[in-house]
Amino acid sequence: MSFIASGNTDIYNSVYSSTLHKLKSSDAYRHFLEFSRSAGYFPLADYRNDKIEVWCSNDYLGMGQDARVIDTFKTSLNRYGVGSGGSRNISGNTLAHVRLERKLAELYQRESALIFNNGYLANTESLGVLTTLFDDVKVFSDALNHRSIIEGIKKSKVDKYIFKHNDLTDLESALAREPHERPKIIVFESIYSMDGDIAPLEGIVRLAKKYNALTFIDETHSFGVLGAHGLGLAEALNVADIDFIQGGFGKAIGTTGGFLVGNRDAVDCIRSLAPGFIFTTSLPPALLDATLTSIEIMTEDQARRESLFNNVSQLKKTLRRHRINFIDAESHIVPVIIPGLTRIKKVAEQLLNEFKIYVQPINYPSVPRGQERFRVTVTPDHSPEQIERFASALKISLDLS
């Protein structure tokens, strides 16, 4: 059986073609490298019948390759099958979902937790609901917040103020202009993934208390990485007075999904009103069991986090020795700025083709034009020899570009 489009499709095809032409003639068109992760060999991957080293993975702790996590996935898969069977309110609310939510609430010492299919939805749907619950609410959002936060705020067309990145003076000035009784939500990230810098969390919480505002923090890039138990920046700084904490499983936990923890009634409002939660098939229970195992290991394994930051320190020292400029931020993310789309693509191709090293160029709209970069992520599984080899290869590729 074949399906043939009816009518004159030229008017539609011309739009597709012109749109793609505009993207390809600028730096906005995205190219995707096809390769396969190789279980047991991280940070190596399979690419064109060969092995390459991955230097831009979000699997910060290598937990996606952990044998205990994989074994849990297999066992649970045999028990539950592949899928969940439906949305959370129609046959998809399994024991695995409930167990994981209880564990997250317990870890964060909050009343309730809610799992989403990814971190993007956790932000857009949570903020999309929260901004509709309060009359005349105003949102104060950091200028470098992730697109998911931006889209969540846009959903309700709420009054908002975009404060300068990590600028407490600008934030306080904006808060002070509003009546004390007006509902306010301050939204920010713990670690900003493009620069690797960290939010002034204690100062933001202080301002929230002073000006009667709720706080919503995205801990996606710090969950698993910072804190005595890997719970993020808030734990690392021992700051408990945060109303909503969002995080994801697709980074240091090594699986996929997102979550929100907070006040029981507030989380229940989101559960009851967020369309991206209500009308979505829930995550497979086997995946959530694997996620729970990964979290349980992560919370007890401080040594793995220490190994991560030892490697981060070693990478920075090696880059300095090779006189390679990078943003020396406080987090585990090491951005190497290589201005110019043509140049950074050439460097990336040289690294891949000549040295079998994969690092993805980051360009507009993820970062401003002229600030193209590699977002380098070393893991506990990268060896000292691999770190030295990466820096040396990068230096050679930069000199040739």
Side-chain angles (χ1 to χ4, degrees), residues 161-226:
Y161 179 81
I162 310 302
F163 63 92
K164 297 175 184 177
H165 177 54
N166 280 349
D167 191 326
L168 293 176
T169 301
D170 187 36
L171 175 59
E172 179 164 23
S173 177
L175 288 166
R177 291 194 291 268
E178 302 299 330
H180 187 77
E181 65 277 6
R182 185 180 188 184
K184 311 170 194 69
I185 306 174
I186 304 172
V187 187
F188 58 104
E189 299 182 45
S190 55
I191 296 176
Y192 290 85
S193 64
M194 289 300 111
D195 287 344
D197 56 337
I198 291 177
L201 176 59
E202 294 161 308
I204 291 174
V205 171
R206 175 182 57 80
L207 292 179
K209 288 181 178 181
K210 182 177 179 180
Y211 293 100
N212 191 33
L214 295 173
T215 46
F216 185 111
I217 185 172
D218 179 335
E219 290 263 30
T220 296
H221 294 280
S222 57
F223 181 51
V225 174
L226 299 181

Side-chain angles (χ1 to χ4, degrees), residues 16-280:
Y16 309 147
S17 179
S18 63
T19 300
L20 290 173
H21 177 73
K22 289 177 183 177
L23 289 171
K24 291 178 180 179
S25 62
S26 69
D27 53 7
Y29 187 76
R30 295 181 181 271
H31 299 271
F32 301 95
L33 187 75
E34 296 178 12
F35 71 99
S36 299
R37 280 161 64 90
S38 183
Y41 294 95
F42 187 77
L44 300 183
D46 295 322
Y47 175 69
R48 294 182 178 176
N49 299 316
D50 207 345
K51 296 289 186 184
I52 58 173
E53 291 177 16
V54 179
W55 282 88
C56 52
S57 174
N58 283 336
D59 192 355
Y60 298 137
L61 297 176
M63 293 303 297
Q65 304 281 311
D66 189 284
R68 295 161 292 183
V69 177
I70 294 172
D71 286 344
T72 297
F73 204 162
K74 290 177 180 177
T75 301
S76 188
L77 190 64
N78 288 330
R79 178 183 179 186
Y80 294 118
V82 176
S84 68
S87 61
R88 289 289 295 274
N89 65 313
I90 303 178
S91 81
N93 189 46
T94 73
L95 291 174
H97 292 80
V98 176
R99 276 197 303 265
L100 182 53
E101 286 176 341
R102 287 175 179 168
K103 182 66 175 182
L104 289 165
E106 173 191 324
L107 286 172
Y108 282 98
Q109 299 180 35
R110 295 302 198 279
E111 293 178 338
S112 191
L114 192 63
I115 296 169
F116 295 82
N117 282 29
N118 52 61
Y120 196 99
L121 277 177
N123 274 334
T124 58
E125 296 306 294
S126 297
L127 289 167
V129 170
L130 286 173
T131 53
T132 63
L133 295 179
F134 309 101
D135 292 335
D136 196 32
V137 67
K138 184 161 186 174
V139 175
F140 299 80
S141 179
D142 188 283
L144 294 187
N145 274 340
H146 190 265
R147 184 63 182 235
S148 58
I149 292 174
I150 296 170
E151 293 300 322
I153 295 169
K154 279 183 176 180
K155 287 184 73 171
S156 61
K157 299 180 181 179
V158 68
D159 189 13
K160 63 182 180 294
Y161 179 81
I162 310 302
F163 63 92
K164 297 175 184 177
H165 177 54
N166 280 349
D167 191 326
L168 293 176
T169 301
D170 187 36
L171 175 59
E172 179 164 23
S173 177
L175 288 166
R177 291 194 291 268
E178 302 299 330
H180 187 77
E181 65 277 6
R182 185 180 188 184
K184 311 170 194 69
I185 306 174
I186 304 172
V187 187
F188 58 104
E189 299 182 45
S190 55
I191 296 176
Y192 290 85
S193 64
M194 289 300 111
D195 287 344
D197 56 337
I198 291 177
L201 176 59
E202 294 161 308
I204 291 174
V205 171
R206 175 182 57 80
L207 292 179
K209 288 181 178 181
K210 182 177 179 180
Y211 293 100
N212 191 33
L214 295 173
T215 46
F216 185 111
I217 185 172
D218 179 335
E219 290 263 30
T220 296
H221 294 280
S222 57
F223 181 51
V225 174
L226 299 181
H229 301 92
L231 299 183
L233 182 62
E235 183 190 39
L237 298 177
N238 195 29
V239 176
D241 296 329
I242 300 173
D243 297 289
F244 300 99
I245 298 176
Q246 182 268 3
F249 308 135
K251 306 298 188 291
I253 304 306
T255 60
T256 190
F259 68 90
L260 183 80
V261 297
N263 170 279
R264 178 176 288 104
D265 287 347
V267 172
D268 201 14
C269 286
I270 295 167
R271 183 190 68 86
S272 303
L273 297 172
F277 173 83
I278 297 169
F279 301 108
T280 301

